[in-house]
Amino acid sequence: MPNESDKKPVLHKKHVARLQREQQQGRIILFTFFGALALVVGLLVYGWLDINYFQLQRPVAKVGDTEILVRDFEPRVRLQRQQLLSQYAQYAQYSQYFGINVDAQLQQIQSNLDAPLTVGQAVLDQMVNEELIRQESAKRGISVSEDELNESIQGGFGYYPNGTPTPSATPTQVTMPDDPAEAFSVITATPPASAIPTQATPFAEATAAPGITPTAGPTSTPLPTSTPYTLQGFESQLDDATVRMTKLGFDEGIYRLIFEAQILERKLRDVMTVNVALTKTQVWARHILVSDETLAKDIIERLKKGEDFAALAVEFSSDTGSAVNGGDLGWFGTGAMVPEFEAAAFALEKSGDFTTEPVPSSFGYHIIQLVAKQDRPLTADQYQAAKDKVFSDWLTAAKEEYGVEIFDIWQSRVPTEPNFITQATEAANDQMTAQAEALKNLEATATPK
């Protein structure tokens, strides 16, 4: 007879239904678990891709139809930070070896490195300017050849296969025109105006340079001399630089674009500033500066009665730099003084005329007298400043013409490295690697026992 224990239990429909529900619930839990796991993994993968790929393709700015992407912006910020660190190290060496006080420079660099958004803004502005230059250059048919680009890169590393270049044109000493005779009916000829330091006042915005100006044609120069730098040395330096640039996030294409932008800017500047005049109307003026408007009006009344301007300047002017010379400021052009002062000085027409109302500025109240007005040659620095202004004005107008958009994402994508910590860590790692390599070479050359 069969054993009672061998009998299979009889499952009722109720038991079967419950078992099926339990199996179904188990499958649901299992599917839910794997679904949640897949979702978490998917989110992690997407987050990684978003940070390391998708966001890199997002624009930080747009110039016309051209976008400046995060992937190009971030390496440029790192490069700027690396340059600041290099400047810091250079100034520190000046202090250490030559005893030069460079605390102000070091503090300024430190301040910039501690303000990532400030560095990022400067880099973004530069990249926008470079794109404006590229688009304007393309419109004007200005381009850079492969030979020009290679030569520029070689020059950047001090390698000149055809000899060290020399300037094709140099500023030469110019003969300044004689001061107008009518000036000396207003002011004495001693000391001469050319001997008086121009712009030696607290309200001057720029300082005039010595009287030199570039000439229209090139001067004769010696032939280039050979450079003691081999092609192999240059290629080694370039390879080392490429490694360093790769660490900052660059590839060779971006690296070459930086050099190309520099050449395009130089060419475009030359085209845009070709008609900048070598002479400019300047005024020779003197002034009295006081802090009280009522006092300024009283001085004007005394001048109207014939009192000596120089004597009143010595007595009342708070601009001690010019007061000792009777308020004399020497010759200056536009852009040298604060706007209110400049407008009033250039509005005077006749030698000896003075402002009949006080001229207010952030420094106080000025009484200005015109000594002379004349077209005079620009100094080398003044000529360069005039060209810089033309180009700067074009950049400002070009932003409107081409249309520039800035996107807020750039603020969250500003690298904070390299910094002093990463630089120190890298230096320590390099030292350890060098020591390990030296030890390895020593072991390899050691004579076995």
Side-chain angles (χ1 to χ4, degrees):
M1 291 181 64
N3 195 326
E4 293 289 335
S5 61
D6 293 336
K7 292 182 179 180
K8 293 182 179 180
V10 178
L11 298 176
H12 298 289
K13 291 182 178 180
K14 184 185 297 184
H15 294 157
V16 172
R18 185 175 67 183
L19 181 61
Q20 289 176 340
R21 285 197 303 272
E22 289 175 351
Q23 290 175 343
Q24 186 177 17
Q25 289 172 352
R27 286 194 295 271
I28 291 173
I29 292 172
L30 187 62
F31 290 153
T32 301
F33 169 76
F34 282 112
L37 181 62
L39 179 62
V40 170
V41 172
L43 289 173
L44 291 173
V45 170
Y46 177 81
W48 184 89
L49 288 172
D50 182 51
I51 293 173
N52 295 281
Y53 181 77
F54 297 132
Q55 286 195 29
L56 293 179
Q57 310 307 313
R58 293 179 63 182
V60 292
K62 189 176 181 182
V63 181
D65 296 328
T66 303
E67 294 179 336
I68 298 173
L69 304 180
V70 170
R71 70 181 184 191
D72 300 324
F73 170 67
E74 288 186 348
R76 290 291 295 270
V77 176
R78 295 190 192 99
L79 176 61
Q80 180 64 26
R81 292 184 65 87
Q82 183 60 59
Q83 290 173 339
L84 288 170
L85 287 167
S86 298
Q87 290 175 12
Y88 190 97
Q90 191 173 41
Y91 279 122
Q93 287 180 346
Y94 290 159
S95 177
Q96 179 180 357
Y97 295 130
F98 305 109
I100 301 173
N101 186 353
V102 293
D103 289 347
Q105 290 86 343
L106 294 178
Q107 289 174 6
Q108 180 61 50
I109 295 173
Q110 177 76 65
S111 176
N112 288 335
L113 288 169
D114 290 342
L117 291 182
T118 300
V119 177
Q121 182 70 69
V123 170
L124 185 58
D125 290 344
Q126 178 62 29
M127 295 183 74
V128 166
N129 290 346
E130 288 173 4
E131 184 56 38
L132 289 169
I133 289 168
R134 286 192 186 95
Q135 295 187 24
E136 183 68 20
S137 296
K139 182 193 296 185
R140 293 172 179 258
I142 300 172
S143 61
V144 178
S145 69
E146 194 68 17
D147 288 342
E148 287 177 313
L149 184 55
N150 289 334
E151 184 179 349
S152 178
I153 294 174
Q154 290 170 351
F157 288 88
Y159 174 60
Y160 304 103
N162 298 320
T164 305
T166 53
S168 58
T170 56
T172 58
Q173 190 71 31
V174 300
T175 302
M176 299 299 288
D178 293 334
D179 296 324
E182 60 266 24
F184 300 109
S185 64
V186 179
I187 195 168
T188 58
T190 305
S194 59
I196 299 171
T198 58
Q199 316 308 334
T201 62
F203 56 94
E205 292 185 334
T207 301
I212 55 174
T213 185
T215 55
T219 58
S220 175
T221 55
L223 293 175
T225 56
S226 60
T227 173
Y229 192 15
T230 64
L231 176 61
Q232 183 179 3
F234 159 68
E235 291 175 343
S236 176
Q237 291 277 0
L238 183 59
D239 289 341
D240 291 344
T242 300
V243 171
R244 293 194 299 270
M245 297 293 274
T246 301
K247 291 180 180 179
L248 298 175
F250 281 94
D251 58 31
E252 186 178 357
I254 298 177
Y255 190 30
R256 292 173 72 84
L257 280 174
I258 295 175
F259 280 92
E260 181 187 54
Q262 293 173 351
I263 300 171
L264 286 175
E265 179 177 346
R266 184 172 66 250
K267 289 186 173 185
L268 188 60
R269 277 178 176 269
D270 289 343
V271 170
M272 288 186 165
T273 61
V274 68
N275 294 322
V276 173
L278 291 171
T279 62
K280 193 174 185 180
T281 300
Q282 299 184 44
V283 297
W284 178 5
R286 54 184 180 177
H287 85 133
I288 302 170
L289 175 65
V290 294
S291 59
D292 181 74
E293 184 178 11
T294 301
L295 176 59
K297 290 181 176 180
D298 290 342
I299 294 172
I300 290 173
E301 291 302 317
R302 293 174 66 171
L303 289 171
K304 288 179 180 178
K305 293 177 181 178
E307 291 198 39
D308 182 62
F309 192 101
L312 291 173
V314 171
E315 182 178 356
F316 291 105
S317 183
S318 59
D319 176 17
T320 55
S322 67
V324 293
N325 293 317
D328 198 346
L329 300 172
W331 290 98
F332 59 88
T334 56
M337 303 293 185
V338 293
E340 306 92 334
F341 188 98
E342 177 185 297
F346 276 84
L348 297 170
E349 293 291 340
K350 188 177 174 183
S351 294
D353 287 352
F354 55 84
T355 52
T356 56
E357 291 293 334
V359 179
S361 78
S362 58
F363 297 97
Y365 295 89
H366 308 266
I367 303 100
I368 307 168
Q369 184 181 48
L370 178 67
V371 178
K373 185 183 292 186
Q374 187 181 54
D375 285 343
R376 296 173 68 83
L378 298 177
T379 66
D381 286 347
Q382 289 171 339
Y383 184 62
Q384 184 60 50
K387 294 199 295 183
D388 289 345
K389 186 176 187 306
V390 168
F391 195 73
S392 176
D393 290 345
W394 170 77
L395 279 173
T396 300
K399 290 175 182 178
E400 293 293 329
E401 177 186 350
Y402 286 95
V404 174
E405 296 180 76
I406 304 296
F407 305 109
D408 290 342
I409 186 178
W410 77 266
Q411 298 181 27
S412 62
R413 300 294 305 196
V414 178
T416 58
E417 297 178 350
N419 51 47
F420 290 108
I421 295 175
T422 59
Q423 188 179 50
T425 301
E426 184 175 349
N429 290 337
D430 289 344
Q431 186 176 9
M432 291 176 62
T433 301
Q435 290 174 347
E437 188 67 25
L439 181 60
K440 180 179 179 181
N441 292 336
L442 182 63
E443 292 175 346
T445 57
T447 304
K449 293 182 179 179

